[in-house]
């Protein structure tokens, strides 16, 4: 990455130039605090696979994003090299913030060729997401997901968890997902990678700050909230 400066090239896990990441399970989950680069890494791998950084399927350009979208992931992809066995060319890149633009694009594309539109937008936000996941992720392919829980209630997260579990058990697709959700992190047999200032390391969901925070809340909600709103309190799990 000679000559590359600024974000994302200054992220700690890229500094020594020896970054290497292998995906050994059908579902890989990336976690980390905001700013650690987990979403940027998902975007970079998706771009390396030929997906637009705004999301969608291969060949889609559903969003006019010359000025409106962060392109750090696509920039990072320019210095990455990837290998697949077998090579998979179908799939999807799901980004919550561009879902409505992508859904409209799908409706318009279907109407242009005389087909009924999928009409994901006629449902509530969360229901539309789940319908989308059920339809798109039922096929063999590679799927990228950036914080899909952002519009999902805990109940809807469980529905997504079941979809991911089917993929994990059948091993007929590859999912690379960034999330803050302890529910999704707990997917059985998925590989959980935590990104910190020290690098990227495999972890267990019970050892994550996300899980520990929620556990502290459920064990004593009143004290947890009192501590959370105290200006002097710093959380240490």
């Amino acid at each position: 990455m000679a000559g590359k400066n600024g974000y994302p090239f200054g992220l700690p896990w890229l500094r020594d130039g020896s970054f290497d990441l292998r995906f050994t399970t059908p579902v890989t989950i990336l976690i980390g605090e905001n700013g650690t680069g987990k979403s940027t890494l998902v975007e970079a791998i998706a771009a390396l696979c030929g997906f637009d950084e705004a999301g969608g399927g291969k060949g889609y350009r559903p969003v006019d994003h010359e000025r409106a979208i962060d392109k750090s992931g696509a920039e990072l992809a320019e210095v990455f090299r990837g290998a697949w066995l077998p090579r998979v060319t179908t799939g999807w890149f799901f980004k919550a913030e561009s879902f409505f633009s992508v859904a409209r694009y799908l409706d318009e594309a279907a109407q242009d060729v005389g087909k009924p539109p999928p009409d994901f937008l006629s449902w509530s936000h969360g229901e539309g997401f789940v319908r989308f996941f059920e339809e798109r992720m039922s096929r063999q392919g590679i799927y990228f997901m950036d914080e899909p829980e952002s519009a999902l209630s805990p109940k809807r997260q469980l529905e997504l968890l079941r979809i991911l579990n089917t993929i994990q058990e059948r091993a007929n697709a590859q999912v690379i997902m960034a999330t803050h959700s302890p529910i999704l992190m707990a997917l059985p047999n998925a590989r959980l990678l935590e990104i910190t200032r020290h690098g990227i390391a495999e972890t267990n969901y019970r050892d994550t700050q996300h899980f520990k925070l929620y556990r502290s809340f459920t064990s004593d909600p009143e004290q947890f909230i009192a501590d959370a709103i105290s200006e002097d309190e710093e959380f240490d799990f």
Side-chain angles (χ1 to χ4, degrees), residues 6-210:
Y7 188 90
F9 305 103
L11 288 166
W13 43 273
L14 289 173
R15 284 177 186 160
D16 65 3
S18 61
F19 176 75
D20 180 75
L21 188 58
R22 299 174 187 271
F23 299 94
T24 58
T25 54
V27 179
T28 302
I29 300 172
L30 303 175
I31 69 166
E33 284 299 321
N34 294 334
T36 56
K38 64 183 182 305
S39 292
T40 297
L41 179 56
V42 171
E43 291 170 2
I45 301 171
L48 190 66
C49 293
F51 294 86
D52 187 81
E53 62 265 29
K58 281 195 175 181
Y60 287 42
R61 193 173 177 84
V63 180
D64 181 8
H65 52 17
E66 286 301 316
R67 299 180 182 178
I69 187 170
D70 175 25
K71 294 190 173 187
S72 55
E75 292 174 1
L76 186 58
E78 294 176 2
V79 300
F80 277 0
R81 287 186 296 176
W84 297 263
L85 187 65
R87 181 84 180 197
V88 176
T89 59
T90 59
W92 199 269
F93 180 18
F94 175 83
K95 297 186 72 171
E97 64 264 37
S98 62
F99 176 75
F100 286 104
S101 295
V102 172
R104 291 190 191 97
Y105 177 94
L106 293 175
D107 286 347
E108 292 169 359
Q111 291 170 347
D112 287 344
V113 295
K115 294 183 179 180
D119 196 22
F120 295 113
L121 298 180
S122 291
W123 302 71
S124 74
H125 204 171
E127 289 173 325
F129 277 29
V130 172
R131 282 192 64 236
F132 181 86
F133 297 145
E134 288 174 337
E135 177 184 310
R136 297 288 158 170
M137 297 175 68
S138 63
R139 313 163 189 173
Q140 184 181 37
I142 184 166
Y143 300 95
F144 301 92
M145 309 179 79
D146 185 19
E147 300 182 11
E149 74 279 3
S150 61
L152 299 178
S153 68
K155 181 180 178 181
R156 296 298 181 192
Q157 289 182 44
L158 291 175
E159 294 181 42
L160 174 56
L161 189 72
R162 285 192 284 270
I163 295 171
L164 294 172
N165 188 60
T166 298
I167 292 173
Q168 180 73 18
E169 290 181 340
R170 293 179 179 175
N172 63 343
Q174 178 100 51
V175 175
I176 300 171
M177 174 177 67
T179 185
H180 290 294
S181 168
I183 292 175
L184 299 180
M185 291 178 198
L187 177 69
N189 300 315
R191 190 179 184 211
L192 188 60
L193 299 175
E194 185 171 23
I195 304 178
T196 69
R197 64 180 182 275
H198 303 296
I200 302 177
E202 193 162 347
T203 190
N204 182 281
Y205 76 94
R206 289 181 176 272
D207 296 326
T208 66
Q209 298 297 316
H210 305 72

Side-chain angles (χ1 to χ4, degrees), residues 213 217 220-235 237:
L213 186 147
F217 171 74
D220 190 348
E222 290 77 16
Q223 185 60 52
F224 179 92
I225 296 302
D227 291 341
I229 61 179
S230 171
E231 293 182 359
D232 300 325
E233 183 68 23
E234 290 186 8
F235 285 100
F237 300 103

